[in-house]
Amino acid sequence: MTFQDPRMFLWALPIGGLIVLMYLMRMRRRDLKVSATFLWPERQDEIRANHFFQKLKFNRLLVLQLLALALILGGLARWQVRQTGLTGGTTVVVIDASASMGATDVQPSRFDEAKRRLTSLVSGMQGADRLAVIEAGPIPRVIAPLSNDPTRIQAALTGLARTDAEADVGEALRLATALVGQAEGAKIVLLSDGVFDPIENFTAGKSELLYEQIGKEGKNIAVTAMGTSDDSKGRQLFVGVKNTGGTELPATITISADKRAIFSVQTSLKPGASWGRTVRVPAGVEWLTGEVRARDQLQADNSMTIPANPGKSMRVLLISRGNIFLERALALDSRVTLDRSATVPEGEKRGASEGSSKYDLVVFDGITEVPVKARSVLTFGAAGSPTPVTKTGRLSKPTFLDANAHPILAGVDFGSVYIESGEKVEPRGSGQVIAESNEGPLVVVSEGAQRQVYVAFNPVDSDFPLSIGFPIFLANVLEFLGGTEAASTLAVRTGQVLAVPAASESPLPVTMPDGRVEEIPATAGRYVIRAFSKPGLYKWGSGDSQKFVQANLRSERESATTPVATVEVSGSQVAANQRLDRFADLWKPLALLVLAILALEWWVYARRS
């Protein structure tokens, strides 16, 4: 509690002293002559000396009057108490809806606890408060626009839904800034466990970012890796399990083929410890499953299922500082399982470690190409030592001249593309120029042991991403570098978006893991499927065109469920507040209490009289 104007209590000395003085004083009585004092024997208590002052004695009226004075001065001093609620003005609440928010260290889950706190904030809204709610999922959503109507906001909260996927918290915060970043004194409140990557390219503007931590501890074991490979004896499967929490846990690990167990073991994993095993895959199976049973706090990552024959899918690693056009174009291709990183992981660099790459394709987006283990490489505007070109200068607004009849360029027209700048290069080694400008090559390919495609400019330095040829070009590159038509069985990450060709304008019925059917409308000749929010098997179509897609939570970041007390936002550390507090004035209840005390004083006085 606090007082906004504690100087008001200085009035307690003169006013309180005056009240006490009045109880010390006695009025001088008049002398009256009576015929006999024995006529008044019951009044012997009033024979005290008639002095001006008397000894102070306990008096209920005095206590009540001093208490009333204290309460009145407390009200004038603006006595305030700390309580949970909005701090006035404009507030945007961003609620984390990622997989880690399903942890049960807070019952029934962290997400439910965040919703409870959010509901409490809405219930405590006052007349001057304006509130908006954003759900931070794989694609952020505005659940409730800015409003000062708590009833309307409470109704909108029914649309909040947690996913078993990674959340784009940074994009959700940038969306919040777009709403209130220019409002003086506005606040952006993040309800999260802090289990997300450091946020870059964010500024709060004139608003203030507050982080309220949800969760107490991390206690989790996850299936973190599954993959197949072939050798002279047939196909083999590798399964990796990791204790991502801070407590040693016993676990039972089972590997199944088409739901029949082919291996099982009981073990105990210490914090941070990993377990791995390679087993032979029986012939003729379609699905392989790794499962861990343990008393942990997150169920979404306790199982992983992949196709036994994954040859028709591609794992792609995008090395980029951020390119939304390229990310979306790659992620929408149903052949692609996309990972993103700002740098090449050490395990993927050629010569840095033993073993093969877990990626089919590495894409360098404006970052200098380095030697990698992957069997294919696509480079945009940043040639390196392994690139089949030699840099000779810079391109400046080049004009397209000619293109070969290469499969990569089928349906792609560079003649209508404006290019601001790029690299001037010459082909070397096995490099073949397939598109050329007046200042030098635009696209160079190499079909050696490692297939490579080099584009002399970065997409963000052109209007290429805005043209219809951009997704066609990427699809052709994937085809050239090893992809084929999408398989009938496919494994994707939860939260991934797939685009499949639409044979008609009719909606596509997609059956969810829980048996529900969701109708996906056709858009520009494609069905864009965003339904993979939970692990499990999704299916659509019939006969030869039937597709089965298994969604898995493959994210060590989400599996590491230990709450984070301080999050990194644009290089700054934002410490967690345990609760969002405001100070509320107590003058109204104090005024009512003073009236009650005065009424009690009157009652006591009346009884004594």
Side-chain angles (χ1 to χ4, degrees):
M1 67 179 64
T2 185
F3 297 94
Q4 282 201 358
D5 191 5
R7 295 173 298 175
M8 286 296 174
F9 286 108
L10 296 177
W11 287 100
L13 295 176
I15 299 176
L18 181 60
I19 294 174
V20 173
L21 180 62
M22 294 178 64
Y23 279 87
L24 288 172
M25 296 175 59
R26 291 191 63 85
M27 294 299 296
R28 185 176 297 276
R29 297 186 178 91
R30 291 181 300 161
D31 291 334
L32 295 176
K33 292 182 179 182
V34 296
S35 57
T37 58
F38 65 86
L39 296 176
W40 291 275
E42 71 279 4
R43 302 303 298 171
Q44 295 297 316
D45 59 326
E46 290 295 333
I47 62 174
R48 293 174 293 181
N50 195 17
H51 293 165
F52 186 75
F53 289 102
Q54 64 175 336
K55 183 179 179 181
L56 183 64
K57 301 181 67 175
F58 176 77
N59 190 302
R60 293 185 180 90
L61 291 176
L62 174 62
V63 174
L64 291 174
Q65 289 166 358
L66 291 178
L67 181 58
L69 174 63
L71 293 175
I72 291 172
L73 294 178
L76 293 174
R78 298 195 65 182
W79 188 11
Q80 297 182 318
V81 294
R82 188 186 298 268
Q83 61 181 217
T84 299
L86 300 177
T87 55
T90 304
T91 305
V92 178
V93 178
V94 177
I95 183 169
D96 187 350
S98 64
S100 63
M101 291 292 285
T104 57
D105 55 327
V106 180
Q107 293 294 329
S109 73
R110 293 178 184 175
F111 186 71
D112 289 306
E113 171 65 14
K115 286 177 63 177
R116 185 193 66 78
R117 297 192 192 183
L118 175 56
T119 301
S120 177
L121 292 178
V122 176
S123 300
M125 288 179 64
Q126 298 181 2
D129 294 331
R130 298 175 67 223
L131 179 68
V133 179
I134 295 176
E135 176 191 279
I139 300 176
R141 296 191 301 149
V142 177
I143 299 298
L146 276 174
S147 172
N148 59 359
D149 184 354
T151 302
R152 179 182 176 186
I153 297 174
Q154 287 282 19
L157 296 187
T158 58
L160 282 170
R162 184 185 62 81
T163 68
D164 285 321
E166 295 181 353
D168 194 343
V169 178
E171 189 64 24
L173 291 179
R174 286 186 282 272
L175 179 58
T177 302
L179 290 176
V180 299
Q182 299 304 314
E184 202 73 47
K187 297 188 184 301
I188 299 173
V189 180
L190 173 61
L191 299 178
S192 172
D193 53 12
V195 181
F196 50 80
D197 290 335
I199 296 172
E200 299 178 351
N201 302 321
F202 170 80
T203 176
K206 296 180 181 179
S207 62
E208 178 186 6
L209 175 63
L210 301 176
Y211 164 48
E212 187 170 345
Q213 178 185 316
I214 309 292
K216 298 178 180 178
E217 61 176 351
K219 187 179 179 182
N220 189 45
I221 290 184
V223 180
T224 55
M226 285 188 68
T228 60
S229 62
D230 295 324
D231 60 16
S232 58
K233 298 180 180 180
R235 180 154 295 172
Q236 55 186 0
L237 168 70
F238 173 79
V239 177
V241 176
K242 184 176 181 180
N243 184 345
T244 60
T247 305
E248 182 174 356
L249 291 174
T252 300
I253 302 171
T254 304
I255 301 175
S256 304
D258 288 343
K259 299 184 179 181
R260 295 192 302 271
I262 58 176
F263 176 84
S264 184
V265 66
Q266 290 184 340
T267 186
S268 182
L269 294 179
K270 295 182 178 180
S274 298
W275 176 95
R277 182 61 58 95
T278 300
V279 298
R280 287 290 169 187
V281 177
V285 299
E286 293 186 8
W287 296 100
L288 301 171
T289 302
E291 183 180 10
V292 58
R293 295 180 182 177
R295 293 185 177 180
D296 59 359
Q297 297 165 344
L298 186 63
Q299 297 299 312
D301 56 8
N302 285 0
S303 178
M304 187 182 296
T305 300
I306 64 172
N309 182 16
K312 296 181 180 180
S313 61
M314 295 185 71
R315 291 205 64 182
V316 177
L317 175 62
L318 173 61
I319 309 299
S320 174
R321 297 184 182 91
N323 185 333
I324 191 65
F325 300 105
L326 189 55
E327 288 184 23
R328 287 181 176 175
L330 289 171
L332 282 172
D333 195 293
S334 60
R335 293 167 291 190
V336 171
T337 298
L338 182 64
D339 289 340
R340 307 167 184 82
S341 177
T343 59
V344 178
E346 287 298 322
E348 291 297 321
K349 293 180 179 179
R350 191 188 307 163
S353 62
E354 299 295 330
S356 59
S357 172
K358 64 179 181 179
Y359 295 102
D360 301 296
L361 169 65
V362 176
V363 180
F364 291 91
D365 173 35
I367 295 178
T368 303
E369 180 185 345
V370 298
V372 294
K373 299 177 183 177
R375 58 186 175 91
S376 303
V377 176
L378 169 61
T379 304
F380 286 99
S385 59
T387 313
V389 297
T390 300
K391 290 189 290 185
T392 59
R394 296 291 299 173
L395 299 176
S396 179
K397 299 182 176 61
T399 302
F400 173 74
L401 289 182
D402 192 20
N404 295 347
H406 195 280
I408 286 181
L409 301 182
V412 181
D413 179 18
F414 277 109
S416 60
V417 174
Y418 170 77
I419 302 172
E420 175 67 23
S421 62
E423 292 184 330
K424 183 179 291 187
V425 298
E426 292 180 356
R428 63 180 177 86
S430 59
Q432 175 190 355
V433 179
I434 62 172
E436 191 164 8
S437 73
N438 61 332
E439 296 188 25
L442 291 179
V443 182
V444 178
V445 300
S446 172
E447 300 188 48
Q450 183 183 61
R451 286 196 166 193
Q452 292 179 286
V453 175
Y454 168 77
V455 180
F457 58 93
N458 195 317
V460 296
D461 294 329
S462 70
D463 63 0
F464 191 29
L466 305 179
S467 70
I468 193 172
F470 185 64
I472 297 174
F473 175 78
L474 287 178
N476 293 344
V477 169
L478 293 173
E479 187 80 22
F480 172 74
L481 295 179
T484 57
E485 185 181 355
S488 60
T489 58
L490 188 66
V492 300
R493 291 175 180 266
T494 50
Q496 186 171 336
V497 178
L498 290 185
V500 297
S504 67
E505 294 298 319
S506 301
L508 176 68
V510 177
T511 303
M512 306 292 165
D514 59 4
R516 294 181 300 108
V517 177
E518 182 174 329
E519 300 280 342
I520 308 298
T523 305
R526 296 186 300 176
Y527 296 116
V528 181
I529 305 173
R530 299 181 174 89
F532 309 109
S533 60
K534 300 289 183 182
L537 186 64
Y538 299 74
K539 53 188 177 182
W540 60 83
S542 60
D544 294 338
S545 63
Q546 190 168 24
K547 305 293 183 182
F548 298 90
V549 177
Q550 175 68 36
N552 300 300
L553 173 58
R554 302 186 67 152
S555 171
E556 283 200 42
R557 182 183 72 190
E558 293 297 326
S559 295
T561 57
T562 302
V564 178
T566 302
V567 297
E568 183 176 336
V569 180
S570 294
S572 301
Q573 302 297 317
V574 179
N577 296 316
Q578 289 304 312
R579 48 186 289 178
L580 183 65
D581 292 331
R582 71 184 301 166
F583 286 102
D585 289 337
L586 283 180
W587 70 268
K588 290 183 180 179
L590 288 179
L592 293 175
L593 191 55
V594 168
L595 291 176
I597 290 175
L598 293 177
L600 180 61
E601 180 192 19
W602 174 86
W603 179 78
V604 171
Y605 177 76
R607 285 200 58 179
R608 293 189 59 180
S609 300

